[in-house]
Amino acid sequence: MKRSVAVILFAVFAVCMIVVVLHLYPVGDPRLPGYADFIPAEIPSEEIPRRADSVATYYNRNSARDVGGTCVIASVILDYRGYDTLYEATVLFTAVIACLALIGKDHHHE
Amino acid sequence: MNNSLIVKVVSQKMVPFIIMLGASIILHGAATPGGGFQGGVVIGAAYILFALGIDAKTARLRLPVIKVKIVESAGVLIYAFTGLGGILLGSNFLANKIVLFPPQGEPGGLFGGGTLIPITIGVGIHVACTVASLYYAFVEYEGEPKPDKETE
């Protein structure tokens, strides 16, 4: 019973993931958000302003107004992506606690 | 190395300057490239140099393990409580410009980033103590560094 439920759930998730992957743009497609500043020559000039309004260009232009720092990288990792850095620090903390628990010596029982 | 006066003196004299460099990198995290992780590693390396110059037992007395662990936890908590300030003032977690917490400085200046400076300081403290505590753990695991009799 448990096994069949697991197999059915796995099949459902696998189908969902395959469908999502089939709908993605191919790698290197200029429509991807990361390629905002790369504008191919065959794009007509009236499409360029709309195309440039993507996430990378937005950060470059507006981070000084939104956050206030002049370092765009610091603005992105600490403000726009602040949750990511918070849990990154938490993961580092957990890893160190695990290291100390495994190889550290207990000073209270020396 | 344990008996070398030059290594001992130079490593002790270098430590405050390296810590100043790390603090500078941390405090300029909002204005220049660098930030909490990089400056924290520099400060942790300064502690390792300090512990290598004198023996590990004396270094451990200067900076006890329990203090390092407390300060390390405080680094993460500074980050989290900076985010909670946004909630207390009626916006979302880690809100910056919307609630004006902490007070915004001049844009482009040292405190221009609002939450960026407390977050960077918290991350820097955390990473520095992480490096120091990992050094503690490995030195304890390997045992005290023994004087090398063959080279004398």
Side-chain angles (χ1 to χ4, degrees):
Chain A
M1 180 61 197
K2 256 183 188 176
R3 193 181 175 83
S4 56
V5 170
V7 168
I8 291 170
L9 278 178
F10 174 76
V12 169
F13 282 128
V15 168
C16 289
M17 291 172 80
I18 289 170
V19 168
V20 167
V21 167
L22 287 180
H23 282 80
L24 288 179
Y25 294 133
V27 175
D29 194 294
R31 287 172 296 180
L32 285 170
Y35 288 89
D37 296 325
F38 169 71
I39 299 170
E42 65 267 19
I43 300 293
S45 60
E46 62 265 18
E47 270 194 32
I48 288 177
R50 186 165 57 82
R51 184 172 287 274
D53 189 20
S54 79
V55 67
T57 318
Y58 178 83
Y59 286 162
N60 277 331
R61 288 184 182 157
N62 296 325
S63 72
R65 195 195 63 203
D66 286 347
V67 184
T70 45
C71 184
V72 182
I73 297 170
S75 302
V76 171
I77 68 167
L78 297 179
D79 192 274
Y80 293 114
R81 298 287 177 263
Y83 286 18
D84 183 30
T85 313
L86 173 60
Y87 292 113
E88 192 180 319
T90 315
V91 164
L92 182 63
F93 181 72
T94 315
V96 169
I97 294 298
C99 275
L100 293 182
L102 282 176
I103 67 177
K105 210 193 309 181
D106 196 353
H107 283 275
H108 301 290
H109 298 104
E110 249 178 46
Chain B
M1 183 184 134
N2 282 344
N3 296 325
S4 169
L5 184 66
I6 296 175
V7 169
K8 199 174 287 185
V9 171
V10 169
S11 64
Q12 304 307 303
K13 299 296 180 199
M14 286 289 286
V15 165
F17 297 102
I18 300 175
I19 289 180
M20 287 297 290
L21 173 67
S24 170
I25 292 175
I26 289 176
L27 287 177
H28 287 84
T32 58
F37 287 95
Q38 291 86 355
V41 168
V42 170
I43 292 181
Y47 174 71
I48 292 180
L49 180 67
F50 174 76
L52 284 176
I54 56 179
D55 59 319
K57 190 167 285 183
T58 317
R60 200 172 297 153
L61 287 178
R62 292 280 183 86
L63 192 63
V65 180
I66 185 70
K67 283 187 185 173
V68 174
K69 287 178 182 171
I70 290 173
V71 176
E72 183 179 4
S73 315
V76 183
L77 286 179
I78 287 173
Y79 196 151
F81 281 120
T82 306
L84 281 182
I87 293 182
L88 292 179
L89 290 173
S91 184
N92 51 355
F93 192 66
L94 285 172
N96 191 1
K97 278 280 186 187
I98 306 170
V99 294
L100 292 179
F101 171 82
Q104 309 277 324
E106 181 185 353
L110 202 60
F111 299 99
T115 54
L116 257 60
I117 280 299
I119 286 174
T120 311
I121 291 173
V123 171
I125 290 172
H126 168 62
V127 174
C129 294
T130 295
V131 173
S133 60
L134 280 181
Y135 177 75
Y136 274 134
F138 283 110
V139 165
E140 283 170 4
Y141 186 66
E142 297 288 338
E144 289 289 326
K146 294 179 178 61
D148 203 356
K149 295 291 183 191
E150 294 171 1
T151 55
E152 286 174 5

